[in-house]
Amino acid sequence: MTSPGSLEGTEAEVAACRSERDPFQWDVREDCQVRQILDRIADKWSLLVIALLDEKTLRFGELGREIDGISKRMLTVTLRNLERDGLVLRTVYPEVPPRVEYELTPLGRTLLGTTQALVNWSEEHQDEIAEARQAFEAR
Amino acid sequence: MTSPGSLEGTEAEVAACRSERDPFQWDVREDCQVRQILDRIADKWSLLVIALLDEKTLRFGELGREIDGISKRMLTVTLRNLERDGLVLRTVYPEVPPRVEYELTPLGRTLLGTTQALVNWSEEHQDEIAEARQAFEAR
DNA sequence: CTGTATCCTCAGTGATACTG
DNA sequence: CAGTATCACTGAGGATACAG
């Protein structure tokens, strides 16, 4: 049985991600590793956490306060997933009261450019999207 | 009342996305337009549809067959959302049997570079992530 | 402060049947 | 073929209380 949150996949499955019919075309298979990684990164909170961890190391509570609407539970879950995937480093300082800091790993930092591009795109095109929506509703 | 799937927001809310304390820093507010756009794009199916619509116009059934695991219902919902946001163009040919083709709009095409970057990142780093996971489990 | 443990809700999703 | 309409379900996520 597959453990929860697993990213496993056989080599055959991974190889199936690039179509055999056309190596430049993309096969969107459910068991594809890329699909699974995408699903994890593109969830409700991960992108936001990664964006906030740009440059600045942040504590658990700081992240919670910066991300409007996230619960402690989901912050913990999200951070654990990112840590598990090697994107975020968690450092516990044995003090009292406890202090835990989160920062991007080198691997996590390679993702940063892409995520920021997504955020920037959203910012740049939000007006166009708002207009498209209005036009669609007025149909 | 806000219509379902709305992307509305007051100007004050939109302006709140960039922090006033530090214009280069990012305020992650729940009512922020960028958050809402991100939520929509980063759902389970949208990225896959956009990636498949790169270059090639596709019919409803073709999309359904290419995307492993998607139901007709979710394909419809996803395509309608993308159409509503002006990212995808839907063309109905008055034939029998009916033919409906989907393609990216110019706006949708501006998003393509970013989404492909995400997919490429996933492909490039899937081995590192797999290793990180193993290390984490072995803890 | 930084979580963990429980319980519970509901939105997203799938399955199925039906329609133009 | 390309949907729409219903219904049912699951699991992501929130609330709360508790713990180290």
Side-chain angles (χ1 to χ4, degrees):
Chain A
M1 177 155 39
T2 294
S3 60
S6 173
L7 282 176
E8 291 153 25
T10 69
E11 288 170 31
E13 286 165 350
V14 173
C17 289
R18 285 287 177 189
S19 172
E20 293 176 10
R21 294 162 294 172
D22 177 357
F24 292 98
Q25 194 49 38
W26 190 31
D27 260 6
V28 184
R29 301 216 13 202
E30 196 161 15
D31 51 13
C32 168
Q33 275 244 17
V34 173
R35 264 286 294 276
Q36 295 175 33
I37 295 175
L38 239 37
D39 279 351
R40 170 147 310 166
I41 289 170
D43 68 4
K44 193 171 181 181
W45 305 112
S46 294
L47 278 177
L48 302 174
V49 169
I50 290 170
L52 278 175
L53 253 27
D54 178 16
E55 301 276 313
K56 205 168 23 175
T57 293
L58 288 175
R59 301 178 58 168
F60 183 85
E62 291 174 324
L63 280 168
R65 260 170 278 118
E66 296 262 18
I67 303 177
D68 192 41
I70 196 172
S71 63
K72 275 193 300 186
R73 184 181 130 75
M74 285 318 297
L75 182 54
T76 301
V77 169
T78 302
L79 285 169
R80 284 296 179 282
N81 281 337
L82 292 175
E83 188 192 0
R84 185 216 306 274
D85 288 352
L87 301 176
V88 158
L89 178 65
R90 175 175 182 266
T91 310
V92 182
Y93 295 89
E95 306 171 355
V96 44
R99 179 164 57 102
V100 181
E101 295 196 337
Y102 294 90
E103 61 188 311
L104 292 182
T105 64
L107 178 59
R109 243 171 256 119
T110 66
L111 181 57
L112 200 54
T114 304
T115 61
Q116 285 295 344
L118 245 193
V119 173
N120 290 339
W121 183 92
S122 298
E123 281 192 320
E124 286 164 15
H125 297 281
Q126 56 185 349
D127 293 343
E128 287 174 78
I129 291 179
E131 285 166 26
R133 272 206 92 251
Q134 278 202 297
F136 186 89
E137 304 303 342
R139 155 189 63 233
Chain B
M1 174 135 88
T2 294
S3 59
S6 172
L7 281 174
E8 292 153 23
T10 69
E11 288 171 33
E13 287 165 351
V14 173
C17 288
R18 285 286 177 189
S19 172
E20 294 177 9
R21 295 161 293 171
D22 177 358
F24 292 98
Q25 194 50 38
W26 192 30
D27 260 6
V28 184
R29 299 211 21 195
E30 196 161 15
D31 51 13
C32 168
Q33 275 244 18
V34 173
R35 264 286 294 276
Q36 295 176 32
I37 295 174
L38 239 37
D39 278 351
R40 170 147 309 166
I41 289 169
D43 68 5
K44 193 172 182 182
W45 305 112
S46 294
L47 277 177
L48 302 174
V49 170
I50 291 170
L52 278 176
L53 253 25
D54 178 16
E55 301 277 313
K56 205 169 21 177
T57 292
L58 289 175
R59 300 178 59 169
F60 183 85
E62 291 174 324
L63 279 167
R65 260 171 277 117
E66 296 262 18
I67 302 177
D68 192 42
I70 196 171
S71 63
K72 275 195 297 188
R73 185 180 132 73
M74 285 319 296
L75 182 54
T76 300
V77 169
T78 302
L79 285 169
R80 285 294 180 283
N81 282 336
L82 292 175
E83 189 192 0
R84 185 217 305 275
D85 288 351
L87 301 176
V88 158
L89 178 65
R90 176 175 182 264
T91 309
V92 182
Y93 295 88
E95 307 169 355
V96 45
R99 179 164 57 101
V100 181
E101 295 196 336
Y102 294 90
E103 60 188 310
L104 293 182
T105 64
L107 179 58
R109 243 171 255 119
T110 66
L111 181 57
L112 198 55
T114 304
T115 61
Q116 285 296 345
L118 245 193
V119 173
N120 290 339
W121 184 91
S122 298
E123 280 192 320
E124 287 164 16
H125 297 281
Q126 56 185 347
D127 292 343
E128 288 173 79
I129 290 178
E131 286 167 25
R133 271 204 93 253
Q134 277 202 298
F136 186 89
E137 304 303 340
R139 155 189 66 234

